[in-house]
Amino acid sequence: TIAHLEQSTNQQSIVKLENMSTKRLGKEWAQLQKKPLPYCSLALVNEDDMHEWRATILGPPSSPYDGGSFVVEFTFPTQYPFKAPTIRFLTKIYHPGVKKDTGEICADLLNASWGPTLNVRHCIETLYGIMLSPDADHPLETDIASQIREKPKEFEKEAKRQTKDYATGS
């Protein structure tokens, strides 16, 4: 029947997309192993699945996150690289662009400018950049954004405290 044919064609399209994204992620993985970012280490959640990665990002020196190690989860859709990965901090971080309860990052950071020429390296560099210079422009946590604008010293003190409590292992 026509419905069965359409379903079969849709399944074939999904498999092609998944194979394409797996191949692309494999290339990116190999490049990041060959030329790693000095502040980041990577691991696959499951050796058989290129669609879930864990990154451990070191807090940038002279930022409130200095001395911390932050674990970040990357989940890649089968439409990758045409669709951005879902990214969330698994390590608690005090940042206006990161949800306190879920660790999800502000979608505007990546989704607004996402295109197939962008890659995992770009995502990691973007995360490092927001840690290096937290700003209140695209907040998921408006109270933290207000604190950065109105009481930056208090923000820095709290971010350092939470880094020590949640991201240093001490």
Side-chain angles (χ1 to χ4, degrees), residues 32-42 56-61 69 121 124-125 128:
L32 285 162
Q33 299 304 310
K34 192 187 287 185
K35 287 187 177 173
L37 293 163
Y39 50 83
C40 181
S41 62
L42 295 169
T56 301
I57 301 174
L58 301 178
S69 292
R121 182 177 294 270
I124 295 167
E125 289 169 343
Y128 192 76

Side-chain angles (χ1 to χ4, degrees), residues 16-28:
K16 280 183 187 172
L17 275 174
E18 191 166 350
N19 289 341
M20 189 173 73
S21 65
T22 300
K23 189 175 178 181
R24 165 76 180 255
L25 287 165
K27 282 183 180 177
E28 289 190 38

Side-chain angles (χ1 to χ4, degrees), residues 1 22 31 72 98 138 153:
T1 66
T22 300
Q31 288 170 342
V72 180
V98 180
H138 304 285
K153 295 271 189 243

